[in-house]
Amino acid sequence: MDNKDLKVFFLPAWYPNPDNRIGGIFIKEHAKALVNKVKLLVVFYVFPYRNSKKLIEIHQYQEEGIQHYIIYHKRFKGVLFVFNYFLYAYCLFAGYFKVLKLYGKPHINHVHVLTRVGLPAMLIKFIYKVPYVITEHWSRYLSNSVQYKGSIRKWITKKIINYSDGLSTVSDNLGFAMKKKGLYHSNFPVIYNTVDINSFYKIFPEHSHEKIKFLHVSGIENSVKNVSGILEAVVLLRQKISHFELHIIGDHADREKYEDYVKLNGLDNVFFYGELYGSDLVKHYQNSDVFVLFSNYENLPCVLLEALCCGLPLIASDVGGVSEIVNENNGILVKSKDITNLSEAMEFMANNLKKFDASRIIADARNKYAYQNVSEEFLSFYNKALGYLSH
C-alpha cells in the first residue's frame, strides 16, 4: 500500500490537555511528523478533566492538519472515584465507534503509552480486524521505577503486546528495560522523539553575553527534575565564578520553595518565568548558551532535543536514555544527584563554551530528530506491521 493512502488513528493515553498543556506533547510531535505523510491522521483521546462542568464534553477539530476527536469526562472524587473507571471505559469505546463513523475504518491504530488504551485497541483488532502498533514512552519499566507492578497489570500488558503488530520505544534504554521484563516483539524498533526544526532553530550570528546563560525547561517537579539540586550547584558555582545566570522555565507547586531558596542564598542571577509556549519559549532557547537538566530519572526528554536543534550544548544527568543523546561533541553527562559534579560541569561550560560547535550540534540533531527522519521510521514500522497482518 502507498503510504499516501494510509489512514492512521492515534490512541494516546497522554496528550496536551487543559490540566497540562505540555503533557504528552511528544506524542503530538509524532503526529505532526506523520500528518503530511499519510492520507488521514486522527488523534482520539479521552481525558478525565477535573474542572469539567459536564459529565462528558466532546471536542472535534482540526489543528496543524491533524484531525482531533477529544473527549473530556467529569472526574469524580471521594467514594465516587470508582465511577471514573467506568466512565473512562465508556468514553473510550463509544468514542471510538463514533470516530469510525466520522472518518471510516483506519488501516492501523497506533497506541501511545500502555496499558489502558491498549485494551480497546486489542478488542478492536479482534472485532474489526484493525491491526495496531504501540509506542511506549513511559519510564515506569526502568529499573529505578516501582510503577510497573501488579500481576494483573503485567499479564494484561503482555497480552496487549503479544497480540499487537509491533512495539516501539523512544530510546534503546527503555527498549532494553522492557525486554528484561519479558515485554518485546519481533517488530521492535527504537523511534526517537522528534522536533519541529522550523520552530526550534538558532539565530546566527551568535549573540554575545557578558554572562553565560544556563537554561532549564521542565515541569520543575523536584522529585523528577531535581531543580533544587541545580540551585545547590549554583551556590557552589558562585563561590568560583560570577559570569553566569540561570533561567528556569516551568511551573509547579515546588516553585515557591525554589524561590525561597534563591532569596535565602542571595542568588540574584537566577530567574523564574513560569510556563512559556511557542515563540516565547523558543526565544529563551535562542538567547541561551547551555541547557541544564539534572533529572533523577528520564526516558528521552524532548527539551534536550529542542535545545540541540537551537545549537545549545547540554549538561544532563546520566539517567534513562539521556546517554543516547549526549556525547563529547554536544555536551557533558553528570551523575544524577551529584551536585558537585554538576557544579564542575557548569564551571567547565562557562569557561570553555567555544569548544562546542553550534553548527555541528544543529546538523547532528536535525539529522536524527527532525520530522522527516522520524516519519520515515514510523512508516517503515507501519508497513512491517501491515505485512505481518497479511501473512
Side-chain angles (χ1 to χ4, degrees), residues 58-71:
I58 297 174
H59 301 266
Q60 183 185 357
Y61 59 93
Q62 178 177 305
E63 183 180 68
E64 297 181 279
I66 306 165
Q67 299 292 337
H68 289 79
Y69 195 86
I70 311 295
I71 300 177

Side-chain angles (χ1 to χ4, degrees), residues 115 119 122 151-161:
T115 303
L119 270 173
M122 185 171 68
S151 57
I152 294 176
R153 176 189 291 276
K154 291 180 179 180
W155 181 82
I156 292 174
T157 300
K158 286 186 178 181
K159 286 293 183 183
I160 293 170
I161 291 173

Side-chain angles (χ1 to χ4, degrees), residues 15-172:
Y15 204 70
N17 59 72
D19 279 351
N20 187 351
R21 289 180 60 184
I22 62 172
I25 191 69
F26 37 83
I27 298 172
K28 187 174 184 179
E29 290 301 312
H30 275 169
K32 287 165 65 176
L34 274 167
V35 69
N36 293 320
K37 300 293 184 177
V38 298
K39 181 178 181 179
L40 176 69
L41 197 149
V42 179
V43 172
F44 170 54
Y45 174 57
V46 177
F47 177 68
Y49 179 32
R50 68 182 61 163
N51 293 321
S52 179
K53 296 180 181 179
K54 299 179 181 179
L55 186 64
I56 296 175
E57 297 180 39
I58 297 174
H59 301 266
Q60 183 185 357
Y61 59 93
Q62 178 177 305
E63 183 180 68
E64 297 181 279
I66 306 165
Q67 299 292 337
H68 289 79
Y69 195 86
I70 311 295
I71 300 177
Y72 298 133
H73 70 75
K74 188 177 181 66
R75 185 187 299 181
F76 292 97
K77 300 178 181 178
V79 294
L80 298 178
F81 182 80
V82 68
F83 287 109
N84 292 329
Y85 297 103
F86 294 103
L87 193 54
Y88 183 84
Y90 170 78
C91 289
L92 269 181
F93 286 98
Y96 186 86
F97 296 140
K98 180 63 175 177
V99 170
L100 281 179
K101 289 182 180 179
L102 286 170
Y103 301 105
K105 183 178 173 180
H107 294 104
I108 195 163
N109 285 321
H110 191 158
V111 171
H112 288 264
V113 187
L114 290 166
T115 303
R116 56 190 168 188
V117 289
L119 270 173
M122 185 171 68
L123 294 173
I124 289 161
K125 180 180 178 180
F126 180 76
I127 297 169
Y128 291 102
K129 308 301 180 185
V130 177
Y132 68 96
V133 293
I134 303 159
T135 293
E136 188 53 271
H137 305 257
W138 202 348
S139 58
R140 69 174 176 177
Y141 304 98
L142 303 180
S143 59
N144 61 345
S145 174
V146 295
Q147 294 177 300
Y148 183 60
K149 58 184 179 181
S151 57
I152 294 176
R153 176 189 291 276
K154 291 180 179 180
W155 181 82
I156 292 174
T157 300
K158 286 186 178 181
K159 286 293 183 183
I160 293 170
I161 291 173
N162 292 341
Y163 198 57
S164 76
D165 300 278
L167 168 67
S168 72
T169 60
V170 295
S171 70
D172 285 305

